[in-house]
Amino acid sequence: MPNINTVYLISHVHTDIGYTDPQNVLFRQQMAFIDQAIDLCEATADYPPEARYKWTCEVAGMVERYVNSRPGRQIDRFLKLHQAGRIAVTAMAYHWTPLLSPAAMVRSLYPAMRLRRDYGMRITSAMQCDVDGASWLWADLLPAMGVRGLTLAINPYRGARPQPEMRAFWWEGPGGNRLLTFNGPHYAYGLFFYGLGGLAQAKAVLPEAVRRFESREDYPYDFLYAQVTHPARPDNGPPYDALSELVLEWNVAGLTPRLEFVTVDDFIAMLHARYAADAPTWRGDWTDWWADGVASSAYETAISRGAEALLPGVDLLASQAGDV
């Protein structure tokens, strides 16, 4: 198997609404996190390219809230970094269970479409984190709107990760579209299994993680993919401001494998350039193995499912109004 020579590091906040705070508190925090990410990107502008801070906005719903709540000068800072490839915006509004109907799945992509239309954002990738799968229709819907790839950070503690893990494949939808998909690690792996919380921790943990992957006969890549959140608050936490220093110090010291900041867009582009031609094509549903909240909030779930029946009519009215 190839020697692993690069760790692609993606910095993001895992969005888990209601898990750590009430919704209104969480929304306010998430807006501040994007502000902090902007500051970190600008503060590291003169670092070597691989150590310059990059930020991935895990869900489009928070970005739409951001541009609707921040002054123009702050939005301009965001867009400048976005256009420079330092901040990525993903396509899915939030992380979804299979409860969404096809109509709701289509409507859930409206925030990304509005961000494209109103702000010229390039939205070419999607992320699904901390759930065990994604409804099969995403493999048709996401390519239809120009999304080139999907990464899944499956939660292996509440279900199971399909095998082979940590692999790229073409996911063929029921309508025949194909989506380059990476069956990746849980977002906590970057911190706790690869040691990317600090230099000393990385020296102690990362070499063994690399050896494990290099010894796998079914692992064909020369890289590790590492999503990293904040070690003090892995869910709904701020950007981790020590990451650029970690990348800089590690690489300057000549340690291996090389660390490189990327966005999820960078990662998907790399997969297309290097591995898409040989990736297998898999067809079939990949529904979530578990969905917290469905049983614990059965009344609210029933109301939601009832509302689903009204969405086609709402879509028809919206199309007549000429706006999504």
Side-chain angles (χ1 to χ4, degrees), residues 107-118:
R107 289 178 62 86
S108 75
L109 296 172
Y110 287 0
M113 295 166 65
R114 288 190 289 261
L115 291 170
R116 283 176 171 176
R117 180 194 65 195
D118 298 340

Side-chain angles (χ1 to χ4, degrees), residues 5-320:
N5 54 45
T6 306
V7 176
Y8 293 115
L9 189 158
I10 292 180
S11 183
H12 67 109
V13 53
H14 173 54
T15 303
D16 196 337
I17 297 174
Y19 181 57
T20 59
D21 296 280
Q23 290 186 8
N24 62 325
V25 175
L26 176 60
F27 291 146
R28 185 170 64 250
Q29 292 171 342
Q30 293 269 349
M31 303 303 98
F33 297 160
I34 297 177
D35 287 337
Q36 294 168 30
I38 291 172
D39 291 341
L40 285 170
C41 288
E42 293 177 345
T44 59
D46 295 330
Y47 281 36
E50 68 276 4
R52 292 172 190 163
Y53 195 84
K54 291 187 174 183
W55 180 251
T56 293
C57 298
E58 193 186 70
V59 293
M62 291 300 179
V63 178
E64 185 167 52
R65 285 180 175 273
Y66 187 82
V67 297
N68 288 337
S69 64
R70 286 303 191 256
R73 64 182 180 277
Q74 191 68 0
I75 297 172
D76 289 343
R77 293 174 69 199
F78 179 98
L79 291 174
K80 182 178 179 180
L81 290 164
H82 172 70
Q83 296 300 332
R86 302 282 300 283
I87 295 180
V89 179
T90 60
M92 297 176 75
Y94 298 101
H95 306 300
W96 301 116
T97 73
L99 282 175
L100 268 68
S101 68
M105 293 170 72
V106 170
R107 289 178 62 86
S108 75
L109 296 172
Y110 287 0
M113 295 166 65
R114 288 190 289 261
L115 291 170
R116 283 176 171 176
R117 180 194 65 195
D118 298 340
Y119 295 94
M121 293 189 188
R122 300 191 309 270
I123 301 176
T124 60
S125 306
M127 297 176 73
Q128 176 91 318
C129 289
D130 210 28
V131 286
D132 281 8
S135 295
W136 191 9
L137 190 56
W138 292 121
D140 277 326
L141 290 179
L142 291 172
M145 65 172 293
V147 171
R148 303 180 70 227
L150 167 69
T151 65
L152 280 96
I154 285 176
N155 187 326
Y157 307 106
R158 301 294 299 276
R161 181 184 292 114
Q163 301 297 320
E165 62 178 353
M166 319 301 184
R167 292 290 298 273
F169 64 95
W170 287 102
W171 189 15
E172 184 176 314
N177 281 341
R178 295 200 311 165
L179 178 66
L180 190 61
T181 303
F182 191 75
N183 179 23
H186 190 266
Y187 59 89
Y189 274 41
L191 287 172
F192 304 118
F193 289 87
Y194 303 159
L196 298 177
L199 186 61
Q201 183 184 11
K203 287 181 178 179
V205 177
L206 184 57
E208 178 56 31
V210 169
R211 281 192 292 270
R212 288 198 303 269
F213 278 93
E214 288 180 339
S215 67
R216 281 178 45 173
E217 295 184 358
D218 65 342
Y219 191 78
Y221 309 123
D222 62 358
F223 67 82
L224 284 185
Y225 173 76
Q227 296 176 213
V228 180
T229 59
H230 199 288
R233 198 178 191 194
D235 291 355
N236 302 318
Y240 189 28
D241 56 4
L243 285 177
S244 281
E245 301 303 324
L246 167 62
V247 174
L248 182 63
E249 293 174 6
W250 180 277
N251 290 341
V252 167
L255 300 171
T256 57
R258 176 176 170 271
L259 304 184
E260 181 180 343
F261 254 121
V262 296
T263 65
V264 69
D265 291 345
D266 297 328
F267 179 70
I268 292 297
M270 182 277 296
L271 288 180
H272 271 277
R274 299 184 59 198
Y275 297 104
D278 297 324
T281 297
W282 294 342
R283 179 180 171 85
D285 198 11
W286 194 359
T287 45
D288 196 355
W289 292 43
W290 57 271
D292 283 348
V294 176
S296 63
S297 56
Y299 175 72
E300 290 80 6
T301 299
I303 292 176
S304 174
R305 296 300 285 174
E308 294 281 353
L310 303 176
L311 287 178
V314 173
D315 284 335
L316 177 62
L317 293 174
S319 69
Q320 300 302 310

